[in-house]
Structures are given as C-alpha cells and as structure tokens.
Amino acid sequence: MSEEEDDIILSELDDDELVQQMFDDLYDGLKEEIEEGVNILLERKWEPYRILTEALVGGMTIVGRDFRDGILFVPEVLLAANAMKGGMAILKPLLVETGAPRVGKMVIGTVKGDIHDIGKNLVGMMMEGAGFEVVDLGINNAVDAYLDTAKTEGADIVGMSALLTTTMPYMKVVIDTMVEQGIRDDYIVLVGGAPLNEEFGRAIGADAYCRDAAVAVETAKEFMARKHNQMAAG
Ligand code: B12
C-alpha cells in the first residue's frame, strides 16, 4: 500500500470518527491536524462552543488522565496543549463575535507559581463571547498584578485560576490582601481550576467557585445583575 492510502483524510470521516481522530491528534500534539479538524467541524455547522467542549476539552481530558497515570510526560502534554491552543485560536473570534453590549469587566490570571493557562484562556474567551471585557494577566501572577490592574482598569470581577494543589492557596493571599486594603467588596471574586471545589472557594472567601467556563459566564452574569440591582436600590 502506498503512503497516501495509509493517510487518514479528515474530511472523509463522519462526525463521530472525526472527533475520535481529533482526540488522537490532540494526544499526539498534531497542531495542524487539530486546526484542520476544527475547520471541518465549522464547515459542518457545528457551534464553536460545541467544538470547544466536545472535541478539544474532551481530548484534553484524555491527555490529563494519562499524564496523571504517568503514561504521558510534560513535553508531550506541552505539545498537546499547543495543538489545543491552535484550535482555540480559530474558535476565539467566533465565540467573541456576539456584538453584545459590554456587561462588565473582568481581570483574569493564573496565580503565582502556576503556568497552566488553557482553562484560564477558555474562561476569558467565553466571557468575551458573553459580552464581558476581559483583561488577561497571563500566568504566574502575584497579588499586586491582580489588585493594581483591577484598580486601574476599574474591573467588576477578579478571576483567579490555579491548577496545582501547591498554588491554589495563593488565591487566599490575594483575597486576604483585598480585605486588609478594605477593597474586598469592590470586586466579585471568581475562582477556578481542576483541583478546586466549592468548599475551597467558600473557605478562602471567594464569591464563587466555577467548575467550567460556561458556569463562569452564568455566575458572572448573576453577580453583575445583583450588583446593578444593589446600585439601583442604593
Ligand atoms: C496541560 C497540562 C500541563 C501543561 C500546561 C500547558 C498550558 N499552557 O497550560 C504543562 C505541561 C506545562 C504542565 C506542567 C505541569 N503540570 Co500540569 N497539567 C496539564 C493537564 C494535563 C491539563 C490542564 C488543562 O489545560 N485542562 C483543560 C482545561 C480546559 O481545564 P481546566 O484548566 O481545569 O479549566 C477549566 C475549569 O477548571 C475552569 N477554570 C479554570 N481556571 C479558571 C479560572 C476562573 C476565574 C474560573 C471562573 C474558572 C476556571 O474553567 C476551565 C474551562 O472550562 C492537567 C490535568 C488535569 N486533569 O487538569 C495537568 C495537571 C494540572 N498538572 C499537574 C502537574 C503536577 C504539573 C507539573 C508540576 C508537572 C511537573 N512535574 O513539572 C507542571 C507544573 C508547572 C507549573 N509551575 O505550573 C497535575 C497537578 C497535580 C496537583 N494535584 O497539583 C495535573 C492535575 C496532572 C496530574 N494529575 O498529575 N501541565
């Protein structure tokens, strides 16, 4: 058999096969194939959000499981993350393209000591898509980065992301500093990341823990509505 006959033509696969193939390609860190897969699903009229959650996040879940189990290592996971980012870059303008009026402003970043940014980027994208203005601080943020930017930008929401059990306590440092400075109530504080849960969010004094980007959007909208009602009442 010639090599070409061995090659899988993504566009010839049906939707289920294509998503399965994208899981494999993400696993293998094949950025171009992931980009091609995303484009094919878009041509087949899949909603950008569905592509994001079913094909990309679905694939990353498998990578995460094998990373945990010691089957994959950091270099391979980095390649997978890079492939995922390639797909996300195509979807971002489509998710953001709502033309909705700005409903609020969020400063978001990954906490000090932590370089995981895929989840944070996803939350930022979804928030923008829902009409929020998003200021992305990137990774490895100390207290000042959050608080100075929130102040200068006049943010409504401060969002913190942590993917490591060793970095998640830093969220409390940020919130405690807000309390010390008497500015805690000026902001809605949302936290997220795989190792967190609701109990942790409550314990550190956040307004809410959000398990994924869709919940983050819903929660942010709810809090903004409350804030507006309070302002109207007061
Ligand atoms: C990709 C990845 C990496 C990549 C990161 C690439 C990048 N640019 O982000 C690389 C290879 C660099 C990496 C490095 C490391 N990693 Co890593 N990594 C992962 C992996 C496989 C996937 C994370 C991911 O992107 N998930 C997909 C996104 C979409 O999900 P998410 O991040 O959870 O985000 C969603 C929600 O949590 C929520 N959310 C997230 N942030 C926020 C923020 C707000 C405000 C809100 C509202 C919501 C929200 O919404 C998001 C979207 O729905 C996880 C496994 C896992 N199960 O999480 C391990 C994992 C997090 N890593 C782990 C480890 C140990 C490490 C290293 C220490 C490994 C090492 N020995 O060097 C280093 C740490 C480096 C550092 N200082 O940060 C462990 C952590 C264990 C622990 N309990 O602390 C995990 C759990 C793997 C494991 N089981 O062992 N990693």
Side-chain angles (χ1 to χ4, degrees):
M1 227 198 274
S2 78
E3 252 185 45
E4 273 121 278
E5 274 167 326
D6 275 336
D7 272 351
I8 295 164
I9 316 267
L10 294 181
S11 57
E12 288 177 358
L13 302 177
D14 70 27
D15 286 9
D16 284 349
E17 289 166 345
L18 177 57
V19 169
Q20 285 306 319
Q21 185 59 40
M22 286 173 75
F23 287 176
D24 288 350
D25 290 343
L26 192 78
Y27 196 94
D28 294 334
L30 302 175
K31 187 177 177 193
E32 280 177 21
E33 281 76 358
I34 287 299
E35 289 167 347
E36 191 187 339
V38 166
N39 282 324
I40 294 171
L41 289 173
L42 282 171
E43 278 161 25
R44 294 185 189 171
K45 305 286 176 232
W46 275 45
E47 291 292 326
Y49 182 64
R50 183 171 172 214
I51 302 176
L52 191 65
T53 49
E54 290 185 25
L56 300 183
V57 176
M60 194 46 110
T61 307
I62 302 170
V63 171
R65 199 184 57 209
D66 280 3
F67 187 31
R68 180 198 63 207
D69 295 344
I71 298 165
L72 287 180
F73 297 96
V74 170
E76 291 139 338
V77 179
L78 263 179
L79 279 177
N82 188 44
M84 170 134 183
K85 284 185 178 178
M88 280 165 65
I90 298 172
L91 297 174
K92 181 173 178 177
L94 305 172
L95 289 164
V96 170
E97 184 183 86
T98 59
R102 295 277 150 230
V103 286
K105 197 171 199 178
M106 177 186 219
V107 167
I108 188 168
T110 304
V111 296
K112 191 171 158 186
D114 203 319
I115 62 165
H116 294 86
D117 66 355
I118 295 175
K120 164 191 71 67
N121 295 347
L122 232 162
V123 172
M125 274 163 57
M126 294 286 297
M127 292 289 292
E128 282 185 3
F132 284 85
E133 199 175 326
V134 175
V135 181
D136 188 345
L137 299 171
I139 55 172
N140 196 22
N141 285 290
V143 175
D144 289 350
Y146 287 104
L147 301 192
D148 293 351
T149 313
K151 193 173 169 200
T152 50
E153 294 284 344
D156 304 290
I157 305 172
V158 173
M160 292 187 273
S161 181
L163 267 286
L164 300 171
T165 44
T166 49
T167 57
M168 59 190 229
Y170 195 76
M171 294 174 164
K172 184 168 185 316
V173 176
V174 177
I175 295 174
D176 286 351
T177 309
M178 291 170 118
V179 174
E180 276 162 30
Q181 295 185 0
I183 56 167
R184 172 63 189 87
D185 293 338
D186 296 350
Y187 304 102
I188 298 157
V189 179
L190 301 183
V191 295
L196 279 65
N197 56 33
E198 257 182 76
E199 198 187 341
F200 176 79
R202 257 196 309 273
I204 63 168
D207 288 296
Y209 152 78
C210 309
R211 75 167 181 276
D212 61 30
V215 173
V217 167
E218 285 315 308
T219 311
K221 281 186 185 162
E222 265 170 46
F223 275 100
M224 286 306 295
R226 267 191 238 171
K227 188 174 167 174
H228 285 137
N229 288 343
Q230 274 165 9
M231 273 161 44

